[in-house]
Amino acid sequence: MSTAESRLTTTAPPGTEKSQATKETLEDYTLRFAPRSYRRWTPMVVATTALGGIAYMADFSIGAGIGLAHGTGNALVAIAVAAVVVFVTGLPLAYYGARYNVDLDLITRGSGFGYYGSVLTSVIFASFTFIFFALEGSIMAQGLKLGLGLPLWLGYAVSTLMVIPLVIFGMKALSKLQVWTTPVWLVLMVAPLVYLIAHDPGSLDRFLSYAGTGGEGGVNPASVLLGAGVCLSLIAQIGEQIDYLRFMPPKTEANKRSWWTAVIMAGPGWVVLGALKQAIGVFLAVYIIAKVGAAAAPEPIQQFKGAFDAMMPSWLVVPLAVALVVISQIKINVTNAYSGSLAWTNSFTRVTRHYPGRMVFVLVNLGFALVLMEADMFSFLNSILGFYSNCAIAWVVTVATDIGVNKYLLKLSPLQPEFRRGMLHAVNPVGVVAFVAASGLSIAMYFHALGDTLQPYSPVAAAVIAFVLTPLMAIVTKGRYYLRRTGDGIDEPLLDAAGNPSAVTLDCHVCRQPYERPDLTACATHESVVCSLCLSTDKVGDHVLPAQPVTV
C-alpha cells in the first residue's frame, strides 16, 4: 500500500459516529468521490473486474423464457432491440462515472433529480440488485440440488450466506476474485456451445426454426416488444458496471486509447456479452426440448448438463455443470451484494443523516433476496422482470437524456456532475417529473390499464416519455433547479489542466481526514473545508453552505 493510500485509510479520532463512518467509507469510498490516490489499477484491470460481474446465468434463463414463449425469431430480434437501447443509454453514464470517478447515484443527483430526489432511483437500483441476487441464488440452488442433493430451501440459504465474507471488502478483493475466475468461466460457457454446433449441425436448424409454444412462427411487433421488455430489465446493470468504472485512472494523452476501450467494453459493452448469452440460452433451451422436454429448458443447470452430456464422460457432466453455475453465481452476486449495499446506504444516509455502516445493508439486501428465493421467484421470473423494466428504463433514459441533451445540446444542465449537499436543490423537477411520469404510465400500460393492445408497448412508452419529458422539463424550468449555488467556497479548481478531477488534498475539519478537492466544500461556520460524507451526516446543517443565485 502506498503512503498516500495508507493515509486515506487511517482511522479518525475514536469514539464518534463520524469516526466509524469515515473509516468504513474509506475502504471503498462508499457514498463519495473515488480519489486518484486510491485508483491504482490500469484501465484493463478495471474493465476485466467490471466485466467479471456479468458472468451471471440469468441471461440464459431470460433468453430461454423469451424463446420458449415467442419463438427464436422474435427472441433474437427482441434481444437485439434491447441491446441497442442498453448500449446507447449506457455510454454517457459510463463515461461520466469513469471520467469523474463517481457512482451512478452521485451522477443521478446532479443529472436532473436533486440531492434527495435521487433517493427514488437509489431504491430502484437497490431493488435491481436483490431481484437479480435472488435469481442467481435460485439458479445456484438448482445446481446444488442436482449436484449435492441439497433441498432448494437449503440451497437458497447457502447461496446467500457464502457471499457475505466475500463482499465485506471493497474493490481490492473484488478485483482479484473477478480477474482470476473469468478465464475458467469463459471456457466452461463457450466450449459446450462450440461442440454442439460442430458435432450436431441439426441443433442449429432446430434452433433457427423453433416457433415457440404458440407455434405460429414469424416475427411480430407485439412478441418482440414483450421480449425486449424482459431483456430491458437489465438496463440498470450499468449501475453495477459504474461501481467499478469509478475507479478508472485519470484519462491522459498516453492512456486515452486504452481508457476509452476499457470504458466502452466494461460500460455499455457489457450488453454485447449479455445479448450473446441470452441467444445461447434460446439455443440451449431448444436443444434441451429436443433431447429431454420443455420442463427443464429454462434452467441453466439443465441446459449445461445437457450440453456437457453430449461431449464428455457421464461422471464429469454434473460436477462441471455445477462448477459453472457456482462460479457464475459467486462472480455476480458479490457484485449484487456490494452494489446493493452502496445504494441502500446512500439512500438511508441522506434521508436520516446517519451512517449505519455498509455491512448493515449488505445483510438487508441479502434478506430481501432470500425472501424472494424462498417465495420461488424463478417460477414467475418474466412477470417480475417485465414489470421492473418499466422503472429501470424510465430512470436510465432520464439520466442519459439529461447528460446527452440537457448538458451538451441545450446547455441547461451543468456539464460537470455535482453531488455534494448544499450545492444541489433538494428536488429537481426535471428528472423527478420525467421519471415518475414515464414509469407510472408505462406500469399502467403493463398491467393492461390502457387496454390489451398497448400492453406490449410499455417499455417503449417508458423510454419515449422519459426521453421527451427530460429536455421539456429543463426548458420549462430554465435549468433553475440543478444547482443551489455556483461556487463551493474553495479557490482551488475542481479539475486539473487535463480536465480530470483534481488530486490536490485538503483536510476536513470535522473528521480530520485528508480528501481530494472534488470531495470537499467550504464550511459555512468555520474558515475550513468539509468532506461530502460529513456534510451528509450533518444533522442540523451547521456546515452546509447557504443558497445563492445561480445562472446556468
Side-chain angles (χ1 to χ4, degrees):
M1 182 183 291
S2 69
T3 303
E5 191 173 319
S6 63
R7 286 181 69 205
L8 283 170
T9 54
T10 302
T11 60
T16 68
E17 176 187 316
K18 292 188 186 299
S19 304
Q20 183 63 21
T22 301
K23 179 181 178 181
E24 288 195 10
T25 60
L26 292 182
E27 293 297 329
D28 55 9
Y29 298 92
T30 313
L31 316 186
R32 60 168 82 237
F33 164 80
R36 190 178 305 192
S37 58
Y38 185 80
R39 293 181 274 117
R40 300 295 189 183
W41 298 275
T42 66
M44 285 302 108
V45 168
V46 175
T48 303
T49 304
L51 286 173
I54 65 164
Y56 50 81
M57 304 296 283
D59 274 327
F60 299 106
S61 294
I62 289 170
I66 297 170
L68 293 176
H70 304 294
T72 296
N74 287 308
L76 293 182
V77 176
I79 290 167
V81 168
V84 170
V85 173
V86 170
F87 191 95
V88 170
T89 57
L91 183 58
L93 305 183
Y95 169 74
Y96 259 60
R99 181 64 161 157
Y100 297 108
N101 312 113
V102 289
D103 66 18
L104 187 50
D105 175 71
L106 302 190
I107 295 171
T108 300
R109 292 184 196 180
S111 296
F113 283 79
Y115 185 75
Y116 291 110
S118 67
V119 170
L120 283 172
T121 57
S122 287
V123 173
I124 295 295
F125 182 51
S127 302
F128 169 85
T129 64
F130 70 68
I131 287 172
F132 279 89
F133 188 107
L135 175 54
E136 289 299 317
S138 298
I139 292 170
M140 180 174 174
Q142 294 162 2
L144 294 176
K145 181 180 180 181
L146 177 67
L148 303 178
L150 290 183
L152 285 177
W153 68 267
L154 183 56
Y156 298 149
V158 170
S159 66
T160 302
L161 295 174
M162 70 184 300
V163 168
I164 294 175
L166 296 172
V167 82
I168 290 174
F169 303 100
M171 176 67 175
K172 292 178 183 177
L174 296 184
S175 63
K176 293 177 183 176
L177 172 71
Q178 302 293 14
V179 169
W180 284 103
T181 55
T182 294
V184 177
W185 171 78
L186 279 172
V187 169
L188 289 175
M189 184 187 75
V190 173
L193 178 71
V194 173
Y195 181 89
L196 289 178
I197 293 175
H199 289 79
D200 184 2
S203 63
L204 191 58
D205 293 332
R206 291 192 297 272
F207 162 65
L208 293 174
S209 62
Y210 183 70
T213 53
E216 297 178 1
V219 175
N220 69 81
S223 295
V224 167
L225 290 172
L226 283 170
V230 175
C231 295
L232 282 170
S233 63
L234 293 166
I235 197 170
Q237 175 65 31
I238 190 64
E240 295 195 352
Q241 301 306 113
I242 292 172
D243 279 338
Y244 293 113
L245 285 176
R246 67 194 175 113
F247 295 112
M248 284 285 286
K251 183 169 77 72
T252 65
E253 280 299 313
N255 75 356
K256 65 180 181 181
R257 180 172 295 180
S258 62
W259 192 93
W260 271 112
T261 300
V263 169
I264 292 173
M265 280 175 50
W270 76 266
V271 78
V272 176
L273 183 55
L276 287 173
K277 289 193 296 173
Q278 290 164 13
I280 292 171
V282 182
F283 175 85
L284 292 176
V286 174
Y287 178 82
I288 291 298
I289 288 172
K291 299 294 182 181
V292 179
E299 298 182 9
I301 184 65
Q302 297 295 343
Q303 293 174 1
F304 281 92
K305 177 179 177 293
F308 287 139
D309 259 332
M311 61 181 289
M312 58 186 59
S314 58
W315 61 270
L316 197 54
V317 169
V318 171
L320 278 182
V322 172
L324 174 60
V325 168
V326 170
I327 290 173
S328 299
Q329 191 271 346
I330 290 174
K331 284 172 72 64
I332 182 56
N333 269 354
V334 292
T335 300
N336 281 328
Y338 173 64
S339 294
S341 69
L342 297 185
W344 284 121
T345 308
N346 251 320
S347 301
F348 188 87
T349 301
R350 264 176 294 159
V351 172
T352 66
R353 299 173 189 172
H354 165 69
Y355 179 82
R358 182 170 64 82
M359 277 308 299
V360 170
F361 287 105
V362 169
L363 299 178
V364 167
N365 219 42
L366 297 186
F368 282 133
L370 187 56
V371 168
L372 282 178
M373 284 188 271
E374 298 292 356
D376 189 26
M377 71 157 286
F378 193 85
S379 63
F380 48 95
L381 169 65
N382 278 12
S383 297
I384 290 178
L385 298 184
F387 159 73
Y388 176 81
S389 68
N390 295 290
C391 297
I393 293 165
W395 165 37
V396 172
V397 172
T398 296
V399 179
T401 303
D402 191 85
I403 293 173
V405 178
N406 294 358
K407 291 186 188 298
Y408 284 94
L409 294 181
L410 299 178
K411 303 190 184 302
L412 290 171
S413 177
L415 194 58
Q416 183 179 318
E418 180 58 76
F419 61 92
R420 297 164 294 175
R421 182 183 175 194
M423 300 300 296
L424 294 166
H425 285 281
V427 175
N428 186 344
V430 173
V432 173
V433 170
F435 166 74
V436 171
S439 56
L441 286 171
S442 61
I443 289 170
M445 290 175 64
Y446 180 78
F447 285 110
H448 303 269
L450 302 181
D452 294 342
T453 303
L454 292 178
Q455 194 266 347
Y457 298 90
S458 66
V460 175
V464 171
I465 294 169
F467 181 74
V468 171
L469 276 185
T470 302
L472 181 62
M473 286 300 300
I475 293 169
V476 169
T477 61
K478 299 179 181 178
R480 289 192 302 267
Y481 297 98
Y482 282 97
L483 294 178
R484 184 171 172 266
R485 54 182 295 124
T486 52
D488 60 11
I490 303 176
D491 292 333
E492 185 70 35
L494 275 169
L495 305 179
D496 63 19
N500 294 300
S502 171
V504 172
T505 300
L506 302 169
D507 290 340
C508 171
H509 86 92
V510 177
C511 65
R512 305 178 192 175
Q513 293 295 304
Y515 298 96
E516 290 181 10
R517 170 67 181 88
D519 206 33
L520 299 156
T521 70
C523 178
T525 53
H526 298 78
E527 291 293 326
S528 190
V529 296
V530 187
C531 74
S532 61
L533 182 64
C534 288
L535 285 171
S536 296
T537 54
D538 182 359
K539 295 185 184 298
V540 295
D542 278 346
H543 308 296
V544 179
L545 293 170
Q548 66 177 192
V550 173
T551 57
V552 178

